Amino acid sequence: MKKIIITMLLSLAAISIYAQDTGQWGAAYLKVRLSDKLGYYGEHHLRYTDKGYGYDLHKSYNRMGLNYFVNDNFDIVVGPAIIGKFNQEIESTDDPYDQTTLMEYRIWHQYLYHHYWGRVKFYHQVRIEHRWEEKVEYTKYSNRYRYKLYAYIPLNNDHIEPGTFYLVPSVELFMHDNHEESLEDFRVYNALGYKFDEDISFTAGHMWTYNHTATTNVFRFTVYIDLDLRD
């Protein structure tokens, strides 16, 4: 376990050298189990970016969905998402202070398979998003395809239970169509988590992202609320 932690820290130090922009993301994830087969899923983000002149609110994410549990290892989510894009530079001018707010609307569906390998729980997440992106003069439609591999590694217990610290390493690949470049984004995220009680967990960590215009270092803090309303 010490070797895993040291490797992660060295990797973070190496990729940080190449970062241009920095960001801070705060998020809340809500899962509500309504029955053996159905549940509610929600993601709510506030994202701030600093491109050299201070942190500005960059985006807000509100993603909702109906969760269908196929079995103990596989579930599906389908729903809408509403994204606000703030302090967006207007491309037709050279003035960095000539900015506007744009909206984006999505229909998304997710397929999540998870399994154990020893004490480590692995997740394979496929997410497909149909996006209507508001531009200054028109609306652009595109599809985005995402694959994320991540794991939960308990540190001070054999399983993740209340009082457990755990690591969450992950990588995610983003591809999209109706754009000049097929690759949209690549993310490496490593977080330290703590399970406070049966319903609430926290994670905090560092994410490095790459796309065709910049690489970015992002600090992320997330609270997870997981409720089970079954009798």
Side-chain angles (χ1 to χ4, degrees), residues 26-46:
Y29 285 63
L30 174 63
K31 294 182 181 180
V32 183
R33 191 72 176 258
L34 301 173
S35 68
D36 289 343
K37 288 298 184 180
L38 296 178
Y40 170 81
Y41 181 93
E43 294 182 12
H44 307 281
H45 291 222
L46 287 177

Side-chain angles (χ1 to χ4, degrees), residues 4-224:
I4 294 175
I5 297 174
I6 293 173
T7 300
M8 290 175 58
L9 293 175
L10 291 175
S11 299
L12 291 177
I15 62 179
S16 296
I17 297 174
Y18 299 97
Q20 298 173 359
D21 301 335
T22 59
Q24 295 180 1
W25 293 8
Y29 285 63
L30 174 63
K31 294 182 181 180
V32 183
R33 191 72 176 258
L34 301 173
S35 68
D36 289 343
K37 288 298 184 180
L38 296 178
Y40 170 81
Y41 181 93
E43 294 182 12
H44 307 281
H45 291 222
L46 287 177
R47 301 181 178 181
Y48 294 82
T49 299
D50 181 7
K51 295 186 177 181
Y53 45 83
Y55 282 97
D56 288 324
L57 179 60
H58 183 56
K59 292 181 181 180
S60 67
Y61 272 70
N62 290 284
R63 188 190 307 271
M64 297 76 71
L66 179 66
N67 208 158
Y68 178 72
F69 300 92
V70 179
N71 55 44
D72 290 340
N73 299 96
F74 182 59
D75 63 87
I76 300 170
V77 186
V78 179
I82 301 173
I83 295 91
K85 300 179 179 180
F86 309 100
N87 300 299
Q88 299 293 302
E89 296 180 5
I90 298 177
E91 297 177 355
S92 59
T93 72
D94 295 326
D95 185 355
Y97 296 100
D98 193 358
Q99 299 175 335
T100 188
T101 296
L102 303 172
M103 300 301 296
E104 181 178 332
Y105 305 96
R106 301 177 186 173
I107 299 295
W108 67 288
H109 38 112
Q110 174 179 287
Y111 308 87
L112 182 65
Y113 174 73
H114 46 87
H115 62 91
Y116 279 96
W117 185 22
R119 61 189 291 183
V120 180
K121 191 173 186 179
F122 286 91
Y123 293 81
H124 305 267
Q125 176 183 290
V126 174
R127 183 176 287 182
I128 301 172
E129 300 168 323
H130 311 287
R131 306 188 294 175
W132 289 264
E133 301 175 74
E134 185 181 60
K135 305 296 184 179
V136 174
E137 298 179 351
Y138 64 97
T139 298
K140 181 176 184 178
Y141 175 79
S142 65
N143 300 294
R144 182 159 73 174
Y145 312 94
R146 303 166 55 171
Y147 171 70
K148 182 178 182 180
L149 172 64
Y150 61 105
Y152 277 34
I153 307 172
L155 298 178
N156 58 324
N157 288 308
D158 290 336
H159 302 284
I160 297 179
E161 56 192 32
T164 302
F165 288 93
Y166 55 95
L167 292 177
V168 189
S170 70
V171 293
E172 187 170 13
L173 177 67
F174 294 68
M175 305 292 289
H176 58 182
D177 57 23
N178 199 20
H179 291 77
E180 293 182 0
E181 302 285 351
S182 297
L183 175 64
E184 181 182 19
D185 207 355
F186 178 72
R187 297 177 181 175
V188 178
Y189 178 47
N190 295 292
L192 176 65
Y194 178 72
K195 188 169 180 59
F196 180 73
D197 58 23
E198 293 292 346
D199 301 326
I200 299 175
S201 301
F202 304 94
T203 61
H206 170 273
M207 183 177 73
W208 176 81
T209 72
Y210 165 82
N211 59 40
H212 296 284
T213 60
T215 57
T216 307
N217 274 324
V218 179
F219 174 77
R220 298 178 58 172
F221 177 80
T222 306
V223 57
Y224 298 86

